Amino acid sequence: MSPARTRRKALPPAVLAVRGAAAALAAAGLGHTLWDGVHQPGHALAFGVLITAGELARWGALPGEREPAPLGAAGALAYALLGRSGGSPTGHGVLQVVAVLVAAQLVACVPHVARGSGPSLDRVARRILTVAFAAACFQPLYNSGRVASRLGEGPYYVLFPLLLLVLTALCDAVLAALLLRSRTRHPYGPLLHDELRALIGIGSAVGATGVVMALGVAVAGLWALPVLCVPLLLTQVSFRRFVAVRTTYRQTITSLARSTEIAGYTPHGHARRVATLCTAVGRELGLSGHELTVLEYAALMHDIGQLSLVDPVPDGATATLPPAEQRRIALLGGAVVRQTGVDTGVAVVVERQADPFREQPLSARIVRAVNAYDDLSGESLIGPLGALEQLRLGTGHDYQPEVVESLARVLARDGPTPVPPG
């Protein structure tokens, strides 16, 4: 293997740092627990089984699930925030929390690895670091008696684990965005914004369940665990159904977008290349969440108006047509999108993709510039460098300069966009 290929496959420094820190914590936790023994083995076993069951429930997780093992995450967080059980102090430490988590994940990953779907190392590292963070913030303070002396055991005590829950969620979001930034080199701000938005959904359910588990066990003992697991399991089932519906929805849009390719109006892979590049440029310009979804769907369906043409445009390159013809095709495409029941925002972007950029929303500006680049960069036209130069020459009226420069940065960083599989 050549040195160039080796360098391309090397992990980013931030990924290595996160994985290295998690591995060091795991080794310290297992080593300390093996050396000193397990404190309260019954509790360690109960929470270990809970985390293992949660990780095994990851079986059948669909692409797009941010938290495929919510029960395991909630169980690990509950053990990290556990100070009492049935009214008696527990006293396990931070390292034992890490050891129980690591042991449970190792046991749970065996059937997944045998099936060929082992857990992501980045996700495992994040889980270890965030749970260790929560335990490090809670266990020393609680075991020293400072929490009880200042907050007592009444309502004010509940505020302490809730505050730690917020800090732990922020820690996890920062780590997740950092890992994505290292791998994709997208701007950190929008990635962090996406992770923080995700906390409102399944993330808040996982965190709240973890805190409630810890408080329930503190009062009722380990019998509280199976009762408190049921709501989160039902939430997981509902969320998985939601992800399945969303996945089917996206597949339907992708199939509609390919109709122009099947009919011979656009080149193979054009819509998916444009969608991939548009998403990257959108992230570069600070779009996130729902805005990126609308942009992706509009990019996939931007050429659907060509189905109304009697004679196909050569190479499907609408960027070479007169402005009036481009607007007519865009309006026809928007009318088709509205009939499909897709988000109205997608139809607006498709309709306005051929307008002068000063009259367009940002998503339409991105679609117009990226579509023109892909149209013009074909082998039969002017090629990638010529396409970028053509876009730069059109920044006075047709293309927003910031969008064109963001596209240039994405291409320089990631290279040409291949046709995604599928």
Side-chain angles (χ1 to χ4, degrees):
M1 182 178 293
S2 66
R5 291 184 64 185
T6 303
R7 285 195 298 271
R8 281 200 298 271
K9 289 188 176 182
L11 291 173
V15 176
L16 289 174
V18 170
R19 290 185 179 182
L25 267 175
L30 291 172
H32 177 271
T33 304
L34 290 173
W35 182 263
D36 288 349
V38 179
H39 186 76
Q40 292 187 319
H43 288 75
L45 179 61
F47 279 95
V49 169
L50 176 63
I51 296 169
T52 302
E55 292 292 335
L56 290 175
R58 187 171 62 85
W59 204 288
L62 298 170
E65 289 192 51
R66 285 185 173 268
E67 182 49 79
L71 184 58
L77 182 61
Y79 194 46
L81 300 179
L82 184 66
R84 300 176 73 85
S85 176
S88 302
T90 53
H92 56 271
V94 176
L95 292 178
Q96 182 168 313
V97 171
V98 174
V100 170
L101 171 62
V102 172
Q105 288 188 322
L106 287 174
V107 172
C109 77
V110 171
H112 288 298
V113 171
R115 185 171 174 259
S117 60
S120 165
L121 291 179
D122 288 350
R123 187 179 294 277
V124 172
R126 276 173 49 201
R127 177 69 51 77
I128 293 173
L129 292 177
T130 52
V131 170
F133 173 82
C137 291
F138 179 85
Q139 294 293 330
L141 288 175
Y142 190 89
N143 293 335
S144 67
R146 296 177 185 174
V147 176
S149 63
R150 295 188 180 183
L151 300 177
E153 298 293 339
Y156 291 108
Y157 167 73
V158 179
L159 298 177
F160 180 55
L162 287 177
L163 174 61
L164 293 183
L165 170 63
V166 173
L167 294 176
T168 303
L170 290 176
C171 173
D172 186 59
V174 168
L175 283 175
L178 176 64
L179 291 170
L180 281 173
R181 170 70 178 86
S182 300
R183 291 189 176 280
T184 64
R185 288 177 288 182
H186 292 146
Y188 183 78
L191 293 175
L192 180 59
H193 184 256
D194 279 349
E195 295 299 326
L196 293 175
R197 283 173 58 93
L199 295 178
I200 301 174
I202 191 69
S204 60
V206 169
T209 304
V211 171
V212 171
M213 280 183 181
L215 296 175
V217 172
V219 176
L222 293 176
W223 293 106
L225 284 181
V227 176
L228 296 173
C229 289
V230 174
L232 190 57
L233 286 173
L234 295 176
T235 302
Q236 181 178 5
V237 171
S238 299
F239 186 73
R240 190 157 291 181
R241 289 181 178 177
F242 167 75
V243 172
V245 170
R246 188 176 61 182
T247 302
T248 303
Y249 183 70
R250 188 186 184 283
Q251 289 172 346
T252 302
I253 291 176
T254 305
S255 299
L256 286 172
R258 293 189 63 185
S259 61
T260 57
E261 300 175 14
I262 295 171
Y265 284 87
T266 57
H268 173 68
H270 169 71
R272 287 172 290 168
R273 284 195 303 271
V274 171
T276 301
L277 267 179
C278 280
T279 302
V281 173
R283 286 194 181 277
E284 189 80 17
L285 291 171
L287 298 185
S288 63
H290 181 67
E291 295 172 321
L292 274 180
T293 302
V294 169
L295 174 61
E296 180 190 13
Y297 290 170
L300 284 169
M301 304 182 75
H302 74 280
D303 267 334
I304 203 166
Q306 290 200 46
L307 293 175
S308 64
L309 302 178
V310 177
D311 297 318
V313 179
D315 295 318
T318 54
T320 62
L321 297 176
E325 185 64 10
Q326 291 183 36
R327 292 193 186 97
R328 186 180 78 85
I329 295 173
L331 289 173
L332 289 169
V336 172
V337 173
R338 290 182 187 277
Q339 295 297 319
T340 64
V342 178
D343 188 341
T344 305
V346 177
V348 171
V349 174
V350 173
E351 288 170 346
R352 302 188 62 184
Q353 62 176 305
D355 295 346
F357 79 83
R358 292 180 179 84
E359 303 173 13
Q360 294 174 309
L362 178 58
S363 295
R365 297 175 185 181
I366 295 172
V367 171
R368 179 171 190 180
V370 173
N371 174 60
Y373 167 78
D374 197 77
D375 281 348
L376 297 173
S377 61
E379 295 181 0
S380 61
L381 295 172
I382 57 179
L385 294 179
L388 269 179
E389 185 63 26
Q390 190 71 30
L391 263 61
R392 288 191 170 107
L393 292 174
T395 53
H397 180 266
D398 296 327
Y399 312 110
Q400 184 181 15
E402 293 81 3
V403 172
V404 175
E405 293 311 310
S406 295
L407 173 61
R409 287 195 298 271
V410 168
L411 292 170
R413 182 181 67 215
D414 301 335
T417 303
V419 179

PDB file of all heavy atoms in Angstrom, residues 389-409:
ATOM      1  N   GLU A 389     -15.257  28.242 -13.148  1.00  0.00           N
ATOM      2  CA  GLU A 389     -14.961  29.553 -13.716  1.00  0.00           C
ATOM      3  C   GLU A 389     -16.216  30.194 -14.302  1.00  0.00           C
ATOM      4  O   GLU A 389     -16.446  31.405 -14.148  1.00  0.00           O
ATOM      5  CB  GLU A 389     -13.883  29.410 -14.802  1.00  0.00           C
ATOM      6  CG  GLU A 389     -13.417  30.732 -15.388  1.00  0.00           C
ATOM      7  CD  GLU A 389     -12.752  31.626 -14.357  1.00  0.00           C
ATOM      8  OE1 GLU A 389     -12.203  31.110 -13.364  1.00  0.00           O
ATOM      9  OE2 GLU A 389     -12.797  32.853 -14.542  1.00  0.00           O
ATOM     10  N   GLN A 390     -17.057  29.388 -14.953  1.00  0.00           N
ATOM     11  CA  GLN A 390     -18.300  29.898 -15.505  1.00  0.00           C
ATOM     12  C   GLN A 390     -19.218  30.412 -14.391  1.00  0.00           C
ATOM     13  O   GLN A 390     -19.873  31.445 -14.535  1.00  0.00           O
ATOM     14  CB  GLN A 390     -19.003  28.797 -16.300  1.00  0.00           C
ATOM     15  CG  GLN A 390     -20.192  29.263 -17.125  1.00  0.00           C
ATOM     16  CD  GLN A 390     -19.763  30.106 -18.317  1.00  0.00           C
ATOM     17  OE1 GLN A 390     -18.668  29.919 -18.851  1.00  0.00           O
ATOM     18  NE2 GLN A 390     -20.604  31.038 -18.725  1.00  0.00           N
ATOM     19  N   LEU A 391     -19.281  29.686 -13.276  1.00  0.00           N
ATOM     20  CA  LEU A 391     -20.101  30.126 -12.150  1.00  0.00           C
ATOM     21  C   LEU A 391     -19.574  31.442 -11.569  1.00  0.00           C
ATOM     22  O   LEU A 391     -20.354  32.332 -11.226  1.00  0.00           O
ATOM     23  CB  LEU A 391     -20.125  29.054 -11.058  1.00  0.00           C
ATOM     24  CG  LEU A 391     -21.342  28.113 -11.057  1.00  0.00           C
ATOM     25  CD1 LEU A 391     -21.440  27.331 -12.362  1.00  0.00           C
ATOM     26  CD2 LEU A 391     -21.253  27.137  -9.887  1.00  0.00           C
ATOM     27  N   ARG A 392     -18.269  31.570 -11.480  1.00  0.00           N
ATOM     28  CA  ARG A 392     -17.692  32.805 -10.945  1.00  0.00           C
ATOM     29  C   ARG A 392     -17.997  33.989 -11.869  1.00  0.00           C
ATOM     30  O   ARG A 392     -18.229  35.108 -11.416  1.00  0.00           O
ATOM     31  CB  ARG A 392     -16.183  32.656 -10.759  1.00  0.00           C
ATOM     32  CG  ARG A 392     -15.803  31.750  -9.580  1.00  0.00           C
ATOM     33  CD  ARG A 392     -14.317  31.848  -9.277  1.00  0.00           C
ATOM     34  NE  ARG A 392     -13.998  31.177  -8.021  1.00  0.00           N
ATOM     35  CZ  ARG A 392     -13.369  30.019  -7.931  1.00  0.00           C
ATOM     36  NH1 ARG A 392     -12.989  29.381  -9.043  1.00  0.00           N
ATOM     37  NH2 ARG A 392     -13.099  29.496  -6.758  1.00  0.00           N
ATOM     38  N   LEU A 393     -18.006  33.740 -13.192  1.00  0.00           N
ATOM     39  CA  LEU A 393     -18.337  34.812 -14.132  1.00  0.00           C
ATOM     40  C   LEU A 393     -19.809  35.226 -14.024  1.00  0.00           C
ATOM     41  O   LEU A 393     -20.169  36.337 -14.399  1.00  0.00           O
ATOM     42  CB  LEU A 393     -18.032  34.362 -15.568  1.00  0.00           C
ATOM     43  CG  LEU A 393     -16.542  34.178 -15.911  1.00  0.00           C
ATOM     44  CD1 LEU A 393     -16.386  33.593 -17.306  1.00  0.00           C
ATOM     45  CD2 LEU A 393     -15.807  35.513 -15.797  1.00  0.00           C
ATOM     46  N   GLY A 394     -20.650  34.296 -13.516  1.00  0.00           N
ATOM     47  CA  GLY A 394     -22.076  34.601 -13.415  1.00  0.00           C
ATOM     48  C   GLY A 394     -22.520  35.128 -12.066  1.00  0.00           C
ATOM     49  O   GLY A 394     -23.715  35.215 -11.802  1.00  0.00           O
ATOM     50  N   THR A 395     -21.565  35.466 -11.191  1.00  0.00           N
ATOM     51  CA  THR A 395     -21.941  35.911  -9.845  1.00  0.00           C
ATOM     52  C   THR A 395     -22.553  37.308  -9.821  1.00  0.00           C
ATOM     53  O   THR A 395     -23.077  37.726  -8.791  1.00  0.00           O
ATOM     54  CB  THR A 395     -20.716  35.888  -8.912  1.00  0.00           C
ATOM     55  OG1 THR A 395     -19.637  36.626  -9.515  1.00  0.00           O
ATOM     56  CG2 THR A 395     -20.267  34.455  -8.648  1.00  0.00           C
ATOM     57  N   GLY A 396     -22.493  38.022 -10.922  1.00  0.00           N
ATOM     58  CA  GLY A 396     -23.118  39.338 -10.924  1.00  0.00           C
ATOM     59  C   GLY A 396     -24.636  39.272 -10.938  1.00  0.00           C
ATOM     60  O   GLY A 396     -25.301  40.191 -10.459  1.00  0.00           O
ATOM     61  N   HIS A 397     -25.202  38.181 -11.494  1.00  0.00           N
ATOM     62  CA  HIS A 397     -26.666  38.123 -11.642  1.00  0.00           C
ATOM     63  C   HIS A 397     -27.237  36.747 -11.306  1.00  0.00           C
ATOM     64  O   HIS A 397     -28.271  36.641 -10.661  1.00  0.00           O
ATOM     65  CB  HIS A 397     -27.040  38.494 -13.083  1.00  0.00           C
ATOM     66  CG  HIS A 397     -28.510  38.470 -13.347  1.00  0.00           C
ATOM     67  ND1 HIS A 397     -29.160  37.356 -13.862  1.00  0.00           N
ATOM     68  CD2 HIS A 397     -29.464  39.413 -13.170  1.00  0.00           C
ATOM     69  CE1 HIS A 397     -30.455  37.623 -13.981  1.00  0.00           C
ATOM     70  NE2 HIS A 397     -30.670  38.865 -13.575  1.00  0.00           N
ATOM     71  N   ASP A 398     -26.556  35.685 -11.717  1.00  0.00           N
ATOM     72  CA  ASP A 398     -27.151  34.349 -11.625  1.00  0.00           C
ATOM     73  C   ASP A 398     -26.823  33.609 -10.335  1.00  0.00           C
ATOM     74  O   ASP A 398     -27.669  32.878  -9.811  1.00  0.00           O
ATOM     75  CB  ASP A 398     -26.686  33.500 -12.816  1.00  0.00           C
ATOM     76  CG  ASP A 398     -27.178  34.056 -14.137  1.00  0.00           C
ATOM     77  OD1 ASP A 398     -28.297  34.618 -14.143  1.00  0.00           O
ATOM     78  OD2 ASP A 398     -26.463  33.940 -15.143  1.00  0.00           O
ATOM     79  N   TYR A 399     -25.598  33.747  -9.834  1.00  0.00           N
ATOM     80  CA  TYR A 399     -25.166  32.917  -8.715  1.00  0.00           C
ATOM     81  C   TYR A 399     -24.608  33.796  -7.594  1.00  0.00           C
ATOM     82  O   TYR A 399     -23.856  34.747  -7.851  1.00  0.00           O
ATOM     83  CB  TYR A 399     -24.083  31.921  -9.160  1.00  0.00           C
ATOM     84  CG  TYR A 399     -24.444  31.175 -10.418  1.00  0.00           C
ATOM     85  CD1 TYR A 399     -23.786  31.423 -11.622  1.00  0.00           C
ATOM     86  CD2 TYR A 399     -25.473  30.232 -10.418  1.00  0.00           C
ATOM     87  CE1 TYR A 399     -24.118  30.751 -12.782  1.00  0.00           C
ATOM     88  CE2 TYR A 399     -25.821  29.556 -11.579  1.00  0.00           C
ATOM     89  CZ  TYR A 399     -25.144  29.825 -12.756  1.00  0.00           C
ATOM     90  OH  TYR A 399     -25.495  29.158 -13.906  1.00  0.00           O
ATOM     91  N   GLN A 400     -24.959  33.463  -6.378  1.00  0.00           N
ATOM     92  CA  GLN A 400     -24.458  34.217  -5.235  1.00  0.00           C
ATOM     93  C   GLN A 400     -22.969  33.918  -5.034  1.00  0.00           C
ATOM     94  O   GLN A 400     -22.563  32.751  -4.973  1.00  0.00           O
ATOM     95  CB  GLN A 400     -25.228  33.856  -3.965  1.00  0.00           C
ATOM     96  CG  GLN A 400     -24.811  34.697  -2.762  1.00  0.00           C
ATOM     97  CD  GLN A 400     -25.572  34.301  -1.514  1.00  0.00           C
ATOM     98  OE1 GLN A 400     -26.200  33.250  -1.462  1.00  0.00           O
ATOM     99  NE2 GLN A 400     -25.512  35.146  -0.490  1.00  0.00           N
ATOM    100  N   PRO A 401     -22.130  34.944  -4.911  1.00  0.00           N
ATOM    101  CA  PRO A 401     -20.684  34.697  -4.782  1.00  0.00           C
ATOM    102  C   PRO A 401     -20.329  33.796  -3.600  1.00  0.00           C
ATOM    103  O   PRO A 401     -19.459  32.927  -3.713  1.00  0.00           O
ATOM    104  CB  PRO A 401     -20.103  36.108  -4.605  1.00  0.00           C
ATOM    105  CG  PRO A 401     -21.109  37.014  -5.247  1.00  0.00           C
ATOM    106  CD  PRO A 401     -22.441  36.386  -5.017  1.00  0.00           C
ATOM    107  N   GLU A 402     -21.005  33.987  -2.453  1.00  0.00           N
ATOM    108  CA  GLU A 402     -20.691  33.169  -1.283  1.00  0.00           C
ATOM    109  C   GLU A 402     -20.998  31.691  -1.524  1.00  0.00           C
ATOM    110  O   GLU A 402     -20.273  30.807  -1.047  1.00  0.00           O
ATOM    111  CB  GLU A 402     -21.469  33.666  -0.065  1.00  0.00           C
ATOM    112  CG  GLU A 402     -21.071  35.027   0.449  1.00  0.00           C
ATOM    113  CD  GLU A 402     -21.686  36.170  -0.344  1.00  0.00           C
ATOM    114  OE1 GLU A 402     -22.482  35.894  -1.276  1.00  0.00           O
ATOM    115  OE2 GLU A 402     -21.380  37.325  -0.038  1.00  0.00           O
ATOM    116  N   VAL A 403     -22.062  31.414  -2.267  1.00  0.00           N
ATOM    117  CA  VAL A 403     -22.410  30.024  -2.570  1.00  0.00           C
ATOM    118  C   VAL A 403     -21.367  29.404  -3.487  1.00  0.00           C
ATOM    119  O   VAL A 403     -20.937  28.253  -3.291  1.00  0.00           O
ATOM    120  CB  VAL A 403     -23.813  29.950  -3.205  1.00  0.00           C
ATOM    121  CG1 VAL A 403     -24.104  28.535  -3.702  1.00  0.00           C
ATOM    122  CG2 VAL A 403     -24.878  30.375  -2.203  1.00  0.00           C
ATOM    123  N   VAL A 404     -20.941  30.153  -4.497  1.00  0.00           N
ATOM    124  CA  VAL A 404     -19.946  29.633  -5.437  1.00  0.00           C
ATOM    125  C   VAL A 404     -18.629  29.347  -4.720  1.00  0.00           C
ATOM    126  O   VAL A 404     -17.992  28.312  -4.933  1.00  0.00           O
ATOM    127  CB  VAL A 404     -19.735  30.623  -6.593  1.00  0.00           C
ATOM    128  CG1 VAL A 404     -18.605  30.152  -7.518  1.00  0.00           C
ATOM    129  CG2 VAL A 404     -21.027  30.785  -7.398  1.00  0.00           C
ATOM    130  N   GLU A 405     -18.217  30.259  -3.835  1.00  0.00           N
ATOM    131  CA  GLU A 405     -16.958  30.033  -3.116  1.00  0.00           C
ATOM    132  C   GLU A 405     -17.077  28.879  -2.127  1.00  0.00           C
ATOM    133  O   GLU A 405     -16.111  28.137  -1.910  1.00  0.00           O
ATOM    134  CB  GLU A 405     -16.529  31.328  -2.405  1.00  0.00           C
ATOM    135  CG  GLU A 405     -16.144  32.456  -3.359  1.00  0.00           C
ATOM    136  CD  GLU A 405     -15.175  31.994  -4.442  1.00  0.00           C
ATOM    137  OE1 GLU A 405     -14.154  31.355  -4.094  1.00  0.00           O
ATOM    138  OE2 GLU A 405     -15.439  32.257  -5.631  1.00  0.00           O
ATOM    139  N   SER A 406     -18.234  28.720  -1.515  1.00  0.00           N
ATOM    140  CA  SER A 406     -18.435  27.568  -0.632  1.00  0.00           C
ATOM    141  C   SER A 406     -18.376  26.271  -1.425  1.00  0.00           C
ATOM    142  O   SER A 406     -17.789  25.281  -0.970  1.00  0.00           O
ATOM    143  CB  SER A 406     -19.786  27.680   0.089  1.00  0.00           C
ATOM    144  OG  SER A 406     -19.808  28.780   0.958  1.00  0.00           O
ATOM    145  N   LEU A 407     -18.967  26.272  -2.613  1.00  0.00           N
ATOM    146  CA  LEU A 407     -18.894  25.098  -3.484  1.00  0.00           C
ATOM    147  C   LEU A 407     -17.442  24.804  -3.852  1.00  0.00           C
ATOM    148  O   LEU A 407     -17.008  23.641  -3.845  1.00  0.00           O
ATOM    149  CB  LEU A 407     -19.723  25.336  -4.743  1.00  0.00           C
ATOM    150  CG  LEU A 407     -19.623  24.275  -5.842  1.00  0.00           C
ATOM    151  CD1 LEU A 407     -20.093  22.916  -5.337  1.00  0.00           C
ATOM    152  CD2 LEU A 407     -20.445  24.702  -7.068  1.00  0.00           C
ATOM    153  N   ALA A 408     -16.669  25.847  -4.155  1.00  0.00           N
ATOM    154  CA  ALA A 408     -15.257  25.645  -4.501  1.00  0.00           C
ATOM    155  C   ALA A 408     -14.488  25.044  -3.325  1.00  0.00           C
ATOM    156  O   ALA A 408     -13.635  24.164  -3.512  1.00  0.00           O
ATOM    157  CB  ALA A 408     -14.633  26.972  -4.929  1.00  0.00           C
ATOM    158  N   ARG A 409     -14.781  25.509  -2.111  1.00  0.00           N
ATOM    159  CA  ARG A 409     -14.100  24.959  -0.935  1.00  0.00           C
ATOM    160  C   ARG A 409     -14.460  23.495  -0.719  1.00  0.00           C
ATOM    161  O   ARG A 409     -13.595  22.668  -0.389  1.00  0.00           O
ATOM    162  CB  ARG A 409     -14.452  25.773   0.312  1.00  0.00           C
ATOM    163  CG  ARG A 409     -13.800  27.144   0.361  1.00  0.00           C
ATOM    164  CD  ARG A 409     -13.890  27.732   1.754  1.00  0.00           C
ATOM    165  NE  ARG A 409     -15.268  27.932   2.175  1.00  0.00           N
ATOM    166  CZ  ARG A 409     -15.966  29.037   1.952  1.00  0.00           C
ATOM    167  NH1 ARG A 409     -15.414  30.043   1.275  1.00  0.00           N
ATOM    168  NH2 ARG A 409     -17.211  29.150   2.385  1.00  0.00           N
TER     169      ARG A 409
END
